[in-house]
Amino acid sequence: MTESKSMILGCAGKSLTREEINFYRNECPWAFILFARNIGETEQIRDLVAEMRDCIGRPDALVFIDQEGGRVQRLRPPLAPNYPAGGALGALWRDDHDAGARAAWLMARLHAFDLLRYGITADCLPVLDVPIEGASDVIGARAYGKDPRPVIELGRAAAEGLISGGVLPVMKHIPGHGRAFADTHFELPVVNASLSDLQRHDFAPFKELSHLPMAMTAHVVYSAIDPNNPATTSGKVIDEIIRREIGFDGLLMSDDTSMKALSGDFPTKAASILAAGCDLVLHCNGVFEEMAGIASRTTGLEGTSLERAKRALTYIKDRDTVEETEIRAEFATYFDAVA
């Protein structure tokens, strides 16, 4: 088996092209990610996931997806019910803390049922960003709340729900995207808040949940820490803030390198991300030439990064024995999730 490289890649369509199959076999990404363009019907998704794993000779390879609820939900009816956004869980929590936390756990546990049906084993959830007034709507209703406490409590419940169902959670976007006044899909935001404000507000949820196995970076510049580089390519942010201040020693993946917030060509992006201390480079849009550029500067997964990757996989071995019909009915007492 070829050594895995430090990257997570997407693909262009609903099945792999011959070019993609040969590329994955030769380059051996550590994992894959699916987007809406890859989603058709049940057997097609299962076949695509199996084909991805077969290419790299790893039946346990993770396949990621963004299945949050609300507007960020790749599996839609009839493949999975429509679920509420994180902000709706936060509104419930404000009325009844226990009910909000229970609903967050139930929804994540239902995500696990939905995803495993198709062989998908990792969900880019919980969103631990804490928006401020006036910030870009790129987070918006995806957030559980506008202060750290509900974000911590509901984020913890969501992560535990996924893990209980055998799906790996990925907290995002570390160390915090909530103050960004620009959408990182299109431009690079600069946050000018003081370090003390960031510690009190933005970093708090990640610090409380720093034991979780995986995190995704923010393509955001924090001028109080490193005015020249976004977190994703900042050795200072990753070492001093994410690893030391926040205390996160899990597997760290970049946010999508095909987003416009990062400058430079794709080989340069990949090299900068790994040099800064990220364990994995994420590329999502399936454009072959861009993936080839990423692969050209991506190294083998080894050392501490490999140990973190192995440790992350241990989180998805044991599942609970809850009945799907029972927890779906319980969740419906909080929200209607209609297939």
Side-chain angles (χ1 to χ4, degrees), residues 67-73 82-111 123-129 139-162 327 330-337:
Q67 190 76 355
E68 297 174 11
R71 61 185 161 91
V72 180
Q73 181 177 324
N82 283 321
Y83 292 100
L89 293 167
L92 177 61
W93 179 88
R94 286 194 297 275
D95 290 335
D96 183 331
H97 292 356
D98 290 341
R102 179 62 179 170
W105 186 93
L106 289 166
M107 189 167 105
R109 185 64 187 85
L110 292 170
H111 285 327
D123 191 0
C124 298
L125 184 76
V127 177
L128 298 186
D129 305 308
I139 301 299
R142 298 165 66 191
Y144 296 118
K146 292 186 176 179
D147 63 81
R149 188 180 168 202
V151 175
I152 291 166
E153 293 195 14
L154 299 180
R156 178 183 289 115
E160 289 174 353
L162 289 173
I327 63 167
E330 184 183 353
F331 183 69
T333 65
Y334 300 110
F335 295 99
D336 289 328

Side-chain angles (χ1 to χ4, degrees), residues 39-326:
I39 304 300
E41 46 82 30
T42 298
E43 289 308 314
Q44 170 268 319
I45 302 167
R46 289 174 179 161
D47 289 347
L48 175 59
V49 167
E51 195 174 25
M52 287 173 154
R53 291 181 171 129
D54 183 64
C55 285
I56 59 174
R58 280 185 46 230
D60 68 338
L62 292 175
V63 176
F64 291 77
I65 200 166
D66 291 289
Q67 190 76 355
E68 297 174 11
R71 61 185 161 91
V72 180
Q73 181 177 324
R74 311 304 181 203
L75 294 176
R76 294 285 182 182
L79 299 169
N82 283 321
Y83 292 100
L89 293 167
L92 177 61
W93 179 88
R94 286 194 297 275
D95 290 335
D96 183 331
H97 292 356
D98 290 341
R102 179 62 179 170
W105 186 93
L106 289 166
M107 189 167 105
R109 185 64 187 85
L110 292 170
H111 285 327
F113 277 118
D114 296 336
L115 299 182
L116 289 179
R117 224 169 252 125
Y118 308 102
I120 301 165
T121 46
D123 191 0
C124 298
L125 184 76
V127 177
L128 298 186
D129 305 308
V130 190
I132 62 169
E133 289 298 327
S136 167
D137 193 47
V138 68
I139 301 299
R142 298 165 66 191
Y144 296 118
K146 292 186 176 179
D147 63 81
R149 188 180 168 202
V151 175
I152 291 166
E153 293 195 14
L154 299 180
R156 178 183 289 115
E160 289 174 353
L162 289 173
I163 292 169
S164 294
V167 169
L168 190 74
V170 182
M171 58 180 179
K172 59 189 184 187
H173 306 79
I174 199 168
H177 204 301
R179 290 180 192 270
F181 278 77
D183 183 342
T184 47
H185 293 87
F186 305 108
E187 58 185 305
L188 177 64
V190 177
V191 168
N192 293 316
S194 68
L195 179 58
S196 60
D197 283 347
L198 292 169
Q199 289 168 326
R200 174 187 55 79
H201 185 268
D202 304 63
F203 302 166
F206 297 99
K207 192 164 188 173
E208 283 291 324
L209 301 180
S210 61
H211 62 282
L212 291 178
M214 282 199 72
M216 177 189 290
T217 62
H219 294 335
V220 174
V221 170
Y222 307 91
S223 59
I225 305 159
D226 182 348
N228 301 312
N229 301 288
T232 303
T233 58
S234 171
K236 190 169 187 184
V237 172
I238 290 173
D239 179 52
E240 295 182 11
I241 302 302
I242 294 175
R243 295 301 188 194
R244 289 198 245 171
E245 167 81 17
I246 289 173
F248 176 69
D249 191 37
L251 192 64
L252 184 65
M253 61 193 275
S254 75
D255 202 348
D256 181 15
T257 50
S258 57
M259 293 161 69
K260 305 303 182 188
L262 296 185
S263 59
D265 59 22
F266 285 88
T268 300
K269 290 179 186 180
S272 299
I273 287 165
L274 294 175
C278 280
D279 300 304
L280 295 163
V281 179
L282 174 66
H283 183 272
C284 295
N285 70 12
V287 174
F288 188 84
E289 294 76 16
E290 294 180 8
M291 292 195 293
I294 293 290
S296 72
R297 297 293 296 278
T298 304
T299 54
L301 190 62
E302 59 188 9
T304 304
S305 293
L306 180 58
E307 290 305 309
R308 289 174 180 141
K310 289 178 177 177
R311 190 165 70 238
L313 291 176
T314 67
Y315 278 70
I316 60 171
K317 286 188 176 176
D318 298 320
R319 297 175 203 165
D320 62 24
T321 57
V322 300
E323 289 291 331
E324 180 179 359
T325 52
E326 292 179 7

